[in-house]
């Protein structure tokens, strides 16, 4: 029986010291519950809050929470970076597809799931709305579910359904969903996007994400036909292609005719689009990101980014040197699935430089402490604004030559010299 509480503080009264909590993430972050949690935690000890990317989570970063609540991050967003890199929060490097299994196999206990849902429908079912990701699995195993019921949460289809009676404590709070407006595209983004689009063929099934480079690539796909989408997440850049009939999902094998995703993050127009849209399946991320599922779609194409790539093709995507920046996410899941797909391919796209053009992102060796997210054996294409390096089947010498050719011209000679000094004759 669900207990309807008057306030968020009332809903959290059942928490006790030592509890391990999961928090619904992305645009579904129940940030009103988190504000109450920051207050409640001060009266408790050793709470652990597991999370992916959280929105409006500033309240969890207060120094006063040390010893009371510790964040355990499977994704490190901007609000958590300082905490993780200063040792006040923990980062767990893991493929996104593996997180639900941590819960279901009881490797990682979940005492309490904090979620945000739509109001129950006439059948008594709420919806996880714009973000299913690992929250579906957390709800399946949590001893207690505490929900913010928000009339602004879209009702989505797939694995998003959660019966109201499965919720132990609920509080009704009307709060705006966090928005991420479409990126402003500059010349570098557009040049990268054009190169990526040239690698996409009619009938491909795409995985892409959020940000300027994915938006730029999508911008140049408007003349393509019969594209499909099977992706861990999508943003507003998909919408014009659906409206133009470019994305049809007709060539897919997995949920043919439907766009498959784990969550969305973008504008209110995007949230309105997914509301009660039966053409979109919000699916458990263990299923969405499973390479064995991804490979079933012919011509699966993964489009991801990186922070740094060495000249052998090793990809660092979660840290800047030893400083953690984001996470593994689904990059390896989709790179693997795309390579196993009939006619599939993987693409890593990134600007050639960082720090205002003073640092090359293509390097002879990754920075000290940098972690390898995607191995050099898994990369098909690397794209910068200066072109495409196709690495599949290439030797180390051939890889270095191809990657130097798409580095910024200012860094090509230094990279050649560094290779020579390291004994690699190009």
């Amino acid at each position: 029986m669900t207990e309807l509480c008057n306030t968020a503080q009332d809903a959290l009264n059942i928490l006790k010291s030592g509890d391990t909590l999961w928090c619904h993430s992305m645009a579904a972050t129940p940030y009103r519950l988190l504000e109450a949690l920051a207050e409640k935690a001060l009266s408790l000890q050793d709470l652990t809050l597991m999370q992916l990317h959280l929105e409006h989570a500033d309240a969890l970063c207060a120094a006063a929470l040390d010893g009371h609540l510790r964040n355990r991050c499977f994704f490190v967003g901007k609000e958590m970076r300082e905490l993780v890199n200063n040792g006040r929060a923990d980062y767990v490097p893991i493929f996104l597809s593996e997180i639900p299994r941590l819960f279901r196999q009881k490797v990682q206990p979940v005492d309490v799931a904090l979620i945000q849902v739509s109001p129950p429908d006439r059948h008594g079912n709420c919806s996880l709305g714009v973000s299913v990701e690992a929250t579906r699995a957390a709800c399946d195993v949590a001893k207690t579910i505490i929900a913010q019921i928000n009339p602004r949460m879209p009702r989505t289809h797939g694995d998003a359904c959660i019966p109201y009676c499965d919720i132990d404590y609920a509080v009704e709070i009307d709060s705006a969903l966090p928005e991420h407006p479409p990126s402003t595209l500059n010349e570098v983004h557009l040049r990268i996007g054009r190169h990526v689009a040239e690698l996409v063929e009619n009938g491909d099934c795409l995985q892409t994400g959020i940000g300027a480079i994915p938006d730029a690539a999508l911008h140049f796909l408007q003349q393509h036909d019969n594209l499909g989408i099977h992706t861990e997440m999508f943003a507003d850049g998909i919408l014009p292609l659906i409206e133009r009939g470019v994305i049809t999902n007709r060539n897919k094998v997995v949920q043919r005719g439907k766009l498959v995703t784990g969550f969305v993050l973008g504008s209110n127009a995007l949230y309105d689009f997914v509301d009660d849209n039966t053409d979109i399946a919000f699916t458990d991320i263990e299923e969405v990101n499973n390479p064995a599922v991804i490979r079933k779609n012919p011509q699966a194409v993964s489009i991801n980014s990186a922070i740094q790539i060495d000249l052998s093709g090793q990809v660092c995507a979660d840290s800047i040197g030893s400083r953690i920046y984001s996470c593994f996410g689904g990059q390896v899941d989709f790179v693997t699935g795309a390579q196993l797909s009939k006619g599939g391919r993987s693409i890593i796209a990134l600007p050639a430089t960082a720090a205002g053009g003073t640092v090359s992102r293509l390097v002879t060796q990754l920075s000290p402490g940098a972690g390898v997210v995607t191995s050099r054996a898994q990369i098909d294409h690397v794209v910068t604004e200066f072109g495409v390096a196709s690495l599949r089947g290439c030797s180390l010498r051939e890889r270095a030559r191809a990657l130097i050719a798409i580095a910024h011209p200012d860094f090509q000679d230094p990279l050649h010299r560094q290779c020579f000094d390291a004994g690699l004759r190009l």
Side-chain angles (χ1 to χ4, degrees):
M1 179 68 70
T2 304
E3 181 176 329
L4 186 60
C5 303
N6 292 321
T7 66
Q9 289 79 1
D10 291 341
L12 298 177
N13 277 339
I14 56 92
L15 297 182
K16 59 184 185 301
S17 294
D19 276 347
T20 298
L21 294 70
W22 169 261
C23 186
H24 205 171
S25 301
M26 317 303 178
T29 303
Y31 57 89
R32 296 302 185 203
L33 286 180
L34 295 185
E35 292 166 359
L37 175 63
E39 296 179 12
K40 177 66 176 177
L42 294 174
S43 64
L44 301 171
Q45 299 293 320
D46 298 324
L47 294 177
T48 298
L49 183 67
M50 300 182 294
Q51 61 198 251
L52 289 165
H53 168 70
L54 298 183
E55 292 283 335
H56 303 331
D58 310 67
L60 302 177
C61 301
L65 289 173
D66 291 354
H68 299 281
L69 182 147
R70 190 169 180 88
N71 293 283
R72 187 172 180 84
C73 306
F74 298 103
F75 181 99
V76 181
K78 65 178 181 179
E79 293 164 328
M80 293 296 157
R81 283 180 197 136
E82 182 178 354
L83 270 67
V84 166
N85 288 301
N86 289 340
R88 294 175 50 219
D90 296 308
Y91 166 56
V92 182
I94 189 171
F95 301 150
L96 187 53
S97 62
E98 292 282 340
I99 299 173
R101 272 181 280 188
L102 284 184
F103 301 156
R104 292 185 170 122
Q105 295 175 358
K106 303 190 185 307
V107 175
Q108 174 63 70
V110 183
D111 296 310
V112 179
L114 302 178
I115 64 175
Q116 183 175 192
V117 299
S118 69
D121 61 17
R122 62 191 180 91
H123 303 292
N125 293 316
C126 300
S127 173
L128 294 171
V130 295
S131 193
V132 168
E133 21 87 8
T135 296
R136 172 74 275 159
C139 288
D140 289 344
V141 303
K143 299 172 185 174
T144 303
I145 298 176
I146 300 174
Q148 173 187 342
I149 297 178
N150 187 352
R152 303 197 200 191
M153 179 62 79
R155 182 173 302 282
T156 59
H157 298 269
D159 293 330
C161 175
I162 178 168
Y164 180 72
C165 62
D166 285 354
I167 296 169
D168 297 288
Y169 300 91
V171 58
E172 296 176 348
I173 303 175
D174 184 326
S175 59
L177 298 185
E179 290 189 78
H180 276 247
S183 302
T184 300
L185 305 182
N186 61 30
E187 182 59 30
V188 169
H189 302 142
L190 291 171
R191 288 166 65 185
I192 295 172
R194 187 183 296 276
H195 290 312
V196 170
E198 289 170 352
L199 296 172
V200 175
E201 301 173 2
N202 291 335
D204 280 350
C205 182
L206 306 181
Q207 173 255 334
T208 186
I210 189 171
I213 290 176
D215 284 352
L218 293 168
H219 173 75
F220 287 108
L221 294 177
Q222 297 188 32
Q223 303 307 314
H224 281 63
D225 293 319
N226 286 327
L227 298 180
I229 301 291
H230 182 111
T231 184
E232 70 186 52
M233 68 88 62
F234 70 90
D236 288 71
I238 293 288
L239 300 185
L241 298 183
I242 295 175
E243 293 167 0
R244 292 176 65 95
V246 173
I247 293 173
T248 64
N249 296 298
R250 292 174 188 158
N251 291 358
K252 293 174 59 182
V253 170
V254 179
Q255 301 209 45
R256 185 175 185 270
K258 292 184 182 292
L259 188 160
V260 174
T261 191
F263 61 95
V264 297
L265 183 61
S267 69
N268 277 325
L270 177 66
Y271 304 148
D272 288 342
F273 174 77
V274 302
D275 185 31
D276 199 27
N277 189 335
T278 56
D279 289 333
I280 303 175
F282 282 76
T283 308
D284 188 316
I285 212 68
E286 184 177 353
E287 175 80 4
V288 177
N289 282 42
N290 185 338
V293 173
I294 296 164
R295 71 174 298 180
K296 292 179 182 178
N297 288 315
Q299 297 177 230
V301 177
S302 66
I303 304 171
N304 290 283
S305 193
I307 292 172
Q308 194 177 54
I309 300 179
D310 75 13
L311 294 186
S312 74
Q314 294 186 117
V315 177
C316 175
D318 70 340
S319 66
I320 301 174
S322 59
R323 290 186 62 81
I324 302 301
Y325 184 80
S326 56
C327 71
F328 267 58
Q331 181 171 128
V332 178
D333 294 332
F334 276 93
V335 165
T336 303
Q339 287 196 311
L340 293 172
S341 161
K342 183 177 181 180
R345 68 217 84 106
S346 66
I347 300 169
I348 302 291
L350 72 167
T353 62
T358 63
V359 176
S360 177
R361 290 178 182 257
L362 302 179
V363 294
T364 52
Q365 293 183 329
L366 298 179
S367 299
V372 175
V373 168
T374 301
S375 79
R376 57 193 177 192
Q378 295 177 285
I379 301 303
D380 290 330
H381 305 288
V382 176
V383 177
T384 73
E385 65 269 36
F386 297 103
V388 178
S390 296
L391 304 185
R392 192 172 189 182
C394 290
S395 69
L396 292 177
R397 183 172 65 91
E398 291 164 340
R399 287 163 178 264
R401 291 170 61 184
L403 288 167
I404 290 173
I406 64 168
H408 191 287
D410 291 348
F411 293 97
Q412 291 184 4
D413 285 343
L415 288 170
H416 273 288
R417 288 195 298 271
Q418 291 164 20
C419 285
F420 183 85
D421 292 343
L424 184 61
R425 303 295 186 259
L426 302 183

